[in-house]
Amino acid sequence: MARRKPPVYVDVDPDVLARLSAICAALPETVQQQSWGGTRWRIRQGTFAEVTAVDEPGGTVTVLRFCAEGEELEYLFTRGHPFMKAAWGDDVVWMLIDDGVDWDEVRELLTDSYCLFAPKYLAAAARPES
């Protein structure tokens, strides 16, 4: 049996990183950090989003990782492209970031993920219209 080569991480496209950074920076008390393979966003000790880019034979693949729960989680897992279940974590979703990405949807998904980790008063501040 052939062993799979480990992924080769590359820099995330600067435009993608800038858009994700702007979305996450708008959420209260968010901290952006370098992670083992890319960039992550945290609220306190919880990572609510992470983006990585991997060199693949067909080109670079950019993956956004976030958390979801309940009906939203089930919907994303059954929807298919650009979403998939992560190889670990029952509530972790991977989203391929490609040319057709809906940035409004990304903003909603990341806000929801943030609210899973944030204290209630910060989650309420992240959704002032609620």
Side-chain angles (χ1 to χ4, degrees):
M1 175 191 254
R3 291 181 73 139
R4 184 171 180 189
K5 291 183 180 180
V8 176
Y9 294 99
V10 296
D11 291 338
V12 172
D13 178 284
D15 293 332
V16 169
L17 186 57
R19 283 182 162 228
L20 292 170
S21 295
I23 290 168
C24 293
L27 300 168
E29 297 185 23
T30 296
V31 175
Q32 179 175 319
Q33 302 173 327
Q34 286 302 119
S35 66
W36 54 271
T39 302
R40 69 180 175 193
W41 292 271
R42 297 174 63 112
I43 174 61
R44 308 244 167 123
Q45 297 303 311
T47 299
F48 69 91
E50 182 173 27
V51 66
T52 58
V54 179
D55 231 359
E56 294 285 329
T60 300
V61 176
T62 302
V63 177
L64 175 63
R65 178 186 65 82
F66 60 92
C67 294
E69 66 179 4
E71 290 178 8
E72 180 178 58
L73 179 67
E74 290 305 314
Y75 170 74
L76 294 172
F77 284 168
T78 58
R79 180 172 161 188
H81 182 81
F83 302 100
M84 67 190 91
K85 184 173 182 359
W88 46 268
D90 292 336
D91 63 349
V92 180
V93 180
W94 287 347
M95 178 183 185
L96 295 175
I97 301 294
D98 55 22
D99 292 336
V101 68
D102 178 344
W103 289 106
D104 290 332
E105 181 177 40
V106 170
R107 181 180 315 282
E108 275 185 50
L109 293 168
L110 293 185
T111 300
D112 290 347
S113 183
Y114 168 90
C115 289
L116 294 174
F117 292 89
K120 288 181 183 181
Y121 76 97
L122 291 178
R127 291 194 177 122
E129 73 282 347
S130 296

